[in-house]
Amino acid sequence: MKRILTFLACCLSMTAWAQWELPTTSQQSQEKQQVNTPTQQDGKEYKYAYYLGDVVPMVDEQVVWEKTFTNEASADANYEAMLTYLNELTHEENQTEQSMVALVNKAEHSIACRMEEWLTFSSSLISLDRAKMVYTLAVFCADGSVRIKAYRIHYIYPQQHRKDELYLAEEWITDEYAVNKKHTRLLPHSGKFRRKTVDRMEELMKNFELHVKVVR
């Protein structure tokens, strides 16, 4: 590269040379912009950088995932479709026997479920690291829309030879409890709960969106 630059310098005047520079690809520009960002260390992107962002929504100091999906169906049609789907959801493989459709209000097209499901952090032939995530899942149906709300989230972490640990989402997966002070890394223990919860809630909302869209 030095030889090439020397050759070019000889061929061009100093004035012309000042207007020339090495080409930079869009990828190189992007890499330059990423240098020294808080999610990088030693030139490598932090594996869990996504989870350092604004991924745990707070409403009135509570962790709440909430989203509204639209379609062209009536409130009655949305209610019946969501009730059918929720009955299926509470019996999926990752659910415990405690998951259930707990309350319904057909007149107001509302449904409330108690959800208790497994979050698996790691699994092998010799060890299994997982916790139960318990939360309330509320569904509010109307003409042309379905609103989903997941809240009152807490965790039951089984322990061998001692009492199970209980964590509230507000005191475990928020930035204050799951991210280091420099906001560059997840904390080892609470961080894995944050990752799995975010992944599960995003998956849940995507599944609801698919089911809402097909209601007629």
Side-chain angles (χ1 to χ4, degrees):
M1 178 61 72
K2 289 184 179 180
R3 292 181 179 178
I4 295 175
L5 292 176
T6 302
F7 174 75
L8 289 174
C10 294
C11 297
L12 299 171
S13 66
M14 292 301 295
T15 302
W17 175 250
Q19 300 174 1
W20 286 73
E21 60 183 10
L22 291 174
T24 302
T25 65
S26 58
Q27 181 178 358
Q28 289 173 326
S29 298
Q30 185 177 4
E31 290 174 350
K32 286 181 179 180
Q33 292 175 1
Q34 293 176 347
V35 173
N36 297 325
T37 60
T39 58
Q40 285 190 330
Q41 198 172 55
D42 299 328
K44 294 182 180 180
E45 185 177 359
Y46 177 48
K47 182 178 179 180
Y48 300 124
Y50 172 76
Y51 303 96
L52 298 175
D54 187 18
V55 294
V56 178
M58 299 290 291
V59 179
D60 297 329
E61 298 184 352
Q62 288 190 331
V63 175
V64 179
W65 266 269
E66 190 171 14
K67 200 163 186 178
T68 298
F69 304 103
T70 60
N71 58 16
E72 297 180 356
S74 66
D76 285 339
N78 279 328
Y79 173 81
E80 294 298 334
M82 291 302 102
L83 183 57
T84 298
Y85 174 56
L86 288 168
N87 276 305
E88 295 173 357
L89 178 65
T90 55
H91 289 86
E92 288 184 349
E93 185 177 359
N94 67 321
Q95 304 296 319
T96 74
E97 294 180 355
Q98 301 302 317
S99 293
M100 67 183 74
V101 176
L103 295 170
V104 297
N105 188 328
K106 190 171 184 179
E108 296 184 3
H109 306 99
S110 302
I111 309 166
C113 299
R114 183 191 189 277
M115 306 297 292
E116 183 177 287
E117 58 190 52
W118 288 106
L119 295 180
T120 301
F121 308 119
S122 63
S123 177
S124 68
L125 293 176
I126 59 174
S127 67
L128 176 62
D129 184 17
R130 64 179 185 173
K132 292 178 183 177
M133 179 169 68
V134 184
Y135 59 99
T136 298
L137 182 62
V139 178
F140 308 94
C141 303
D143 291 332
S145 70
V146 175
R147 180 164 65 93
I148 313 299
K149 182 179 179 181
Y151 62 114
R152 296 177 182 170
I153 303 169
H154 62 278
Y155 310 92
I156 302 171
Y157 195 33
Q159 300 295 306
Q160 288 186 346
H161 311 304
R162 57 191 176 95
K163 188 177 180 180
D164 293 348
E165 296 175 359
L166 175 66
Y167 306 115
L168 300 179
E170 291 77 15
E171 299 174 356
W172 197 238
I173 66 169
T174 55
D175 289 359
E176 182 180 358
Y177 297 94
V179 181
N180 67 354
K181 292 183 178 180
K182 293 183 179 180
H183 212 82
T184 57
R185 295 193 105 48
L186 295 179
L187 298 180
H189 194 41
S190 56
K192 65 184 180 181
F193 284 80
R194 179 178 171 114
R195 289 190 292 106
K196 288 296 182 178
T197 302
V198 170
D199 288 346
R200 175 54 179 161
M201 288 301 163
E202 290 183 351
E203 176 190 42
L204 193 66
M205 293 302 172
K206 288 179 181 179
N207 289 340
F208 267 107
E209 182 178 19
L210 293 174
H211 281 82
V212 170
K213 293 299 182 183
V214 299
V215 181
R216 296 289 184 267

